Structure formats: C-alpha cells, structure tokens
C-alpha cells in the first residue's frame, strides 16, 4: 500500500517554491511520489530528484498531461484536500480501513469543480483557508498516526544526527 500526491495546476513562474515544498513534504512524511499537472518543469523535477539522491529513500516525481484521466485511472482511493471538505479527524478512520493505494490531490490557485466529484473523499484540515503544504503535512501525519516521524531513509548520502544545538551531518 502506497501514498502518492497529485499537485494540480503547477505554474513555473509562480509555483516553483510551493510545488517543491509539496514534493519535499510528501517525501519526508512517507509518500512514495508526487505527480503534478500544469506546466512541465524540469527544474522542479531536478530539485526533488536531487533531494532524493542526497537524503535517500524511494520517491519519484512525474508530470501528468491529463489530470482528469490520471485521477480516473488511479487504482485506489482518491482524497482531495480542500477547506470545504469533511474534517480530517472524522474521515481518516474510513480512509485508513481499506488497505488500498491512496492519491492525495492538492490544488493550486483555482481548483476545477470536477475534482470534487472525482474524489472518493473531500477532506478538510480545519475549515479555514491555508496552504497545500500544510494540509498535506497534516493529512499524512494523521494517516500515519505519527509513525512517519521516525521513518528511516535508505540509500542516503547524508544523515542528520540530531543535536541539542548546532548541526551535525554524516555521510553513512
Ligand atoms: N482557491 C482555491 C480553490 O479553488 O479551492 C484554493 C487555493 S489554496 C491556496 C491551495 C490548496 O491548498 C487547496 O486546493 C487545497 O488543496 C489546500 N488547502 C488550503 N486550505 C485547506 C484546508 N483548510 N484543508 C485542506 N486543504 C486545504
């Protein structure tokens, strides 16, 4: 069972930073990969792939041309994160039950109405407007019940040794 993220409507000029953060959060919090629609961005892909090379784990990033077809064809549960959905704390037990792959869909500036219909669950992380990065992090944290916090990443070139103060990074 694996979790993937779909980030909708990437725009190279405006979303590089936030889409990169979606990818980094997805990886660090236990997802297996991120797909993105909108403009194909080789620099975004390079940033994520370089983080994977340096910090390890198995994680992929891929552009999708047709997000609607991609969501329809995804075999597993489709979860759309939106402030208008049902509270994460109430829906997560239902989502966790079937041991199926999960696609977590996060929007950009404007989310097409069809996404709400294509999703199996529309899930909110509070009913207040905030960010796809925060919503994704909290969703994954709730889904994994905190177990992602101690996750180990293999094939790593760098590893942080936690310190009370200062920085210690080793090359295992
Ligand atoms: N105005 C956009 C729309 O048409 O819905 C939403 C823009 S918001 C900055 C970008 C994304 O952040 C949303 O599509 C959603 O995935 C996520 N998001 C923001 N607030 C959220 C919340 N309270 N719960 C869940 N997801 C949220």
């Amino acid at each position: 069972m694996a979790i993937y993220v779909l980030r909708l409507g990437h725009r190279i000029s405006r979303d590089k930073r936030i889409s990169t953060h979606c990818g980094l959060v997805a990886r660090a919090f236990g997802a297996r990969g991120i797909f993105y629609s909108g403009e194909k961005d080789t620099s975004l892909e390079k940033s994520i792939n370089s983080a994977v090379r340096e910090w390890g784990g198995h994680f992929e990033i891929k552009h999708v041309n047709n997000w609607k077809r991609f969501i329809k064809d995804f075999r597993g549960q489709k979860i759309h994160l939106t402030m208008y959905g049902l509270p994460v704390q109430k829906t997560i037990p239902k989502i966790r039950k079937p041991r199926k792959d999960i696609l977590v869909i996060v929007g950009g500036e404007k989310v097409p109405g069809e996404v709400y219909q294509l999703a199996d669950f529309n899930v909110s992380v509070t009913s207040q407007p905030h960010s796809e990065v925060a919503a994704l992090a909290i969703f994954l944290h709730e889904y994994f019940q905190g177990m992602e916090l101690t996750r180990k990443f293999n094939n790593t070139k760098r590893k942080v040794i936690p310190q009370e103060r200062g920085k210690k990074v080793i090359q295992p």
Side-chain angles (χ1 to χ4, degrees):
M1 199 238 86
I3 299 192
Y4 298 91
V5 173
L6 172 62
R7 199 268 194 271
L8 296 170
H10 174 73
R11 298 159 302 174
I12 295 176
S13 57
R14 302 186 55 177
D15 297 326
K16 179 165 167 39
R17 199 169 153 79
I18 204 130
S19 296
T20 303
H21 287 183
C22 285
L24 294 176
V25 163
R27 173 188 165 276
F29 286 62
R32 198 74 76 70
I34 186 166
F35 298 91
Y36 70 101
S37 67
E39 296 174 336
K40 181 164 167 63
D41 186 347
T42 46
S43 140
L44 165 68
E45 295 177 16
K46 271 186 196 157
S47 306
I48 298 298
N49 287 329
S50 131
V52 176
R53 266 195 312 277
E54 289 296 308
W55 297 98
H58 297 287
F59 188 83
E60 59 179 330
I61 176 163
K62 275 191 189 145
H63 179 255
V64 297
N65 281 318
N66 186 338
W67 60 264
K68 215 182 293 177
R69 174 68 26 228
F70 182 80
I71 296 175
K72 283 185 182 161
D73 289 349
F74 184 82
R75 289 166 170 252
Q77 298 193 89
K78 300 145 197 181
I79 315 299
H80 172 219
L81 298 182
T82 164
M83 65 185 277
Y84 305 104
L86 299 175
V88 66
Q89 62 275 25
K90 293 206 174 134
T91 42
I92 210 89
K94 292 185 203 150
I95 295 169
R96 214 184 283 116
K97 228 178 214 162
R99 307 291 299 160
K100 284 184 183 170
D101 283 357
I102 289 177
L103 182 66
V104 186
I105 305 160
V106 294
E109 194 186 49
K110 182 117 186 65
V111 177
E114 289 150 289
V115 177
Y116 293 80
Q117 309 306 324
L118 291 171
D120 297 307
F121 291 93
N122 289 291
V123 174
S124 62
V125 177
T126 78
S127 301
Q128 304 299 319
H130 50 83
S131 128
E132 46 274 54
V133 180
L136 182 58
I138 297 286
F139 176 83
L140 293 172
H141 183 64
E142 289 289 312
Y143 183 84
F144 289 118
Q145 299 178 293
M147 283 184 314
E148 81 287 355
L149 297 176
T150 48
R151 189 181 154 86
K152 303 268 182 283
F153 290 82
N154 54 13
N155 300 325
T156 182
K157 284 189 187 157
R158 290 204 242 172
K159 189 173 176 210
V160 170
I161 306 298
Q163 303 291 299
E164 207 169 316
R165 288 192 187 80
K167 304 178 192 174
K168 185 170 181 181
V169 179
I170 59 163
Q171 297 182 334

